[in-house]
Amino acid sequence: MLNYIRAEFYKLARRKGYWIFLAVVLALESLLVWGFHMVNASGGRLCFEDCVLSVVPQALSFGGYFAIVAGEMVFAGQYKNGTLKNEVAFGLPRWRIYLGKLIVQLMASTLMCLVMVGYYVIICRLTTPEAGNAPVMLLLGKSLLAALPVWVGVQGMICACCFLIRGEAAHTIAAVSIYWGLPNLLTFVGLLFYQYPAGRKMMEIAEWTPSQMLGYTARYLEEDFLPWLGWMCLVGGVWLAVSTVLGLWRFRRKEIN
């Protein structure tokens, strides 16, 4: 398994798309912080605490989309290129192929997240004044800690989509639809039929989907954090377990050609 993971990391490191995407995101972060600097230069009073705590906890749901990008880059068109068929024909156990790619996806997503958040925090600290009236790093750490289990669960879903759906566009659309489209569809239908118990139940279910829960995390950073962290771990664990079991089960029976 370790050799397989090393090989996948070697292939990922040689893919320019991963580094180009990361560079583009860092450039956009630089542009955002430059905007903060211009606001302060024009008489505004944006401090380090405002720039970090008003952006990062509120943007946690975007981590799901970055996870989709990382998953796509690790899988990298294995069906189209025939490399997955070669791995199976070489005699590698299918569980090793599946779990190896899932582990690399998780590690690549985590690395991407750490670089993005770390870079943003550093340039905010260097370019904006510090007010000193908020535990920025503590609240930032709590927000990332709460988001981590849900991000892991989303990555499990993305891996299942990559293995079970042929075509890069198809499994990307499927992953985005499950992550973003499903909660919005449940909310829309729930609002239409809110007068009925089924409609209200759909809205309740939508609130427990990963993208919705990530968006709510900022509310719980100072109060009721531990119960919220428990719920995030539960939801992320369920998504990871269900998607991984389903993905392994179907991939073991899938004809690779």
Side-chain angles (χ1 to χ4, degrees), residues 37 59 62 75 84 90 94 135 157 160 177 180 188 197 201 257:
H37 174 72
F62 286 100
F75 197 77
L84 190 62
F90 187 73
R94 294 200 181 196
M157 177 271 292
S177 298
W180 177 82
F188 177 72
K201 181 59 67 176
N257 50 41

Side-chain angles (χ1 to χ4, degrees), residues 62-248:
F62 286 100
Y65 300 106
F66 294 147
I68 292 174
V69 172
E72 291 293 334
M73 290 183 180
V74 171
F75 197 77
Q78 297 262 305
Y79 284 113
K80 182 180 69 174
N81 299 329
T83 51
L84 190 62
K85 179 177 67 174
N86 294 339
E87 291 179 7
V88 173
F90 187 73
L92 292 176
R94 294 200 181 196
W95 64 266
R96 184 183 301 173
I97 297 172
Y98 189 99
L99 295 180
K101 283 185 169 54
L102 175 58
I103 291 171
V104 173
Q105 288 177 21
L106 291 172
M107 297 175 71
S109 295
T110 302
L111 176 62
M112 187 183 295
C113 172
L114 291 176
V115 171
M116 290 177 182
V117 175
Y119 176 76
Y120 177 76
V121 172
I122 290 171
I123 59 176
C124 282
R125 183 64 188 90
L126 294 175
T127 58
T128 55
E130 186 175 11
N133 58 359
V136 179
M137 302 311 295
L138 174 62
L139 295 176
L140 177 63
K142 290 169 69 175
S143 65
L144 296 177
L145 178 62
L148 180 60
V150 175
W151 284 340
V152 170
V154 171
Q155 192 69 71
M157 177 271 292
I158 296 163
C159 185
C161 289
C162 290
F163 272 94
L164 302 184
I165 302 174
R166 301 181 71 91
E168 294 179 67
H171 57 235
T172 301
I173 292 172
V176 173
S177 298
I178 295 172
Y179 179 72
W180 177 82
L182 178 61
N184 285 279
L185 177 62
L186 290 171
T187 301
F188 177 72
V189 176
L191 287 172
L192 287 179
F193 300 98
Y194 189 76
Q195 66 272 29
Y196 303 107
R200 293 191 290 272
K201 181 59 67 176
M202 286 185 179
M203 295 189 67
E204 292 176 7
I205 294 173
E207 292 183 354
W208 293 99
T209 54
S211 60
Q212 296 294 313
M213 293 192 71
L214 288 169
Y216 295 150
T217 299
R219 306 177 185 176
Y220 298 94
L221 293 181
E222 299 189 60
E223 296 182 3
D224 299 324
F225 175 72
L226 289 179
W228 182 250
L229 177 61
W231 282 114
M232 295 289 274
C233 290
L234 176 61
V235 171
V238 169
W239 276 75
L240 177 64
V242 172
S243 59
T244 302
V245 170
L246 177 62
L248 278 170

Side-chain angles (χ1 to χ4, degrees), residues 23-34:
V24 169
V25 174
L26 297 183
L28 292 175
E29 290 180 350
S30 300
L31 184 62
L32 176 62
V33 176
W34 177 79

